[in-house]
Amino acid sequence: MNTVKLSPSLMCADFIDMRSALDVFQREGVDYLHIDIMDGHYVPNFTLGIDFCKAVARYTSIPLDIHLMIENVDEYIPSFASIGNALLSIHPETCYHPLRSLRLIKSSGARAGIAIDPSMPLETYKHMLPEVDFVCIMTVNPGYAGQELIPQTIEKIRELSAHIDERGYDIEIEVDGNVSWKNIPVMVDAGADVLVAGTSSLFDKSGVLSDNLSRMRGMLGQNKLSRVASVC
Ligand code: DX5
Ligand code: ZN
């Protein structure tokens, strides 16, 4: 059974004390750093930008998992990919020709992913799967941290996992949104390979970051997370 990977969502970190969070991740070890890029058009919010990505890449060798929630995404792919050792996920609705965009990500030296909006059926994306390294299943609407899980997205994780197994694809399933203490077992049971951890677990303000990270590791280190009857 593969170990579930962790990708802390830096938009949920304390922006005034970002270095402390990066030091914890560097010391304790996480698999990726999830960086949400928003343009106020595709999503009604702004968060982090390319200079932030470059600063983080100078500070740590942890691969950047850059989630592009921006229009005209093709224009910006080379710049984000030039950061190096990055994963770039795009929302296919933001580009005219998603397969061209995915090939542009790869030819620019990054790993290519698609991010699937909660409203969209998996069927829409199946012809893209041969071109991707990972799929980000959004379990909340893109644009904000702190939202509640959209329950029907759990079935999409399960459906994608079965399809990947059936086709023999080498694709990681990333889950992004309300990755909470309660939802983690359900998400992992459904087939999540990578958890984008934000305000409802890793950056849960009722705990200390390093303790929350240990708690997550403890949960994920269990041989078989207890099956959970329902999602919250
Ligand atoms: C939302 C972002 C998520 C967000 C997760 O558009 O893609 O990465 O930061 O935050 P939580 O974990 O609070 O849902
Ligand atoms: Zn994200």
Side-chain angles (χ1 to χ4, degrees), residues 9 11-12 34 36 38 67 69 138 140-147 176-179 196-200:
S9 180
M11 76 175 272
C12 304
H34 189 82
D36 292 301
M38 302 182 188
H67 181 186
M69 287 167 273
M138 289 218 70
V140 298
N141 287 309
Y144 297 96
Q147 301 176 85
D176 185 6
N178 196 209
V179 175
V196 175
T199 60
S200 51

Side-chain angles (χ1 to χ4, degrees), residues 28-44:
E28 307 291 334
V30 293
D31 302 279
Y32 308 130
L33 294 173
H34 189 82
I35 299 180
D36 292 301
I37 307 294
M38 302 182 188
D39 64 357
H41 292 284
Y42 176 64
V43 288

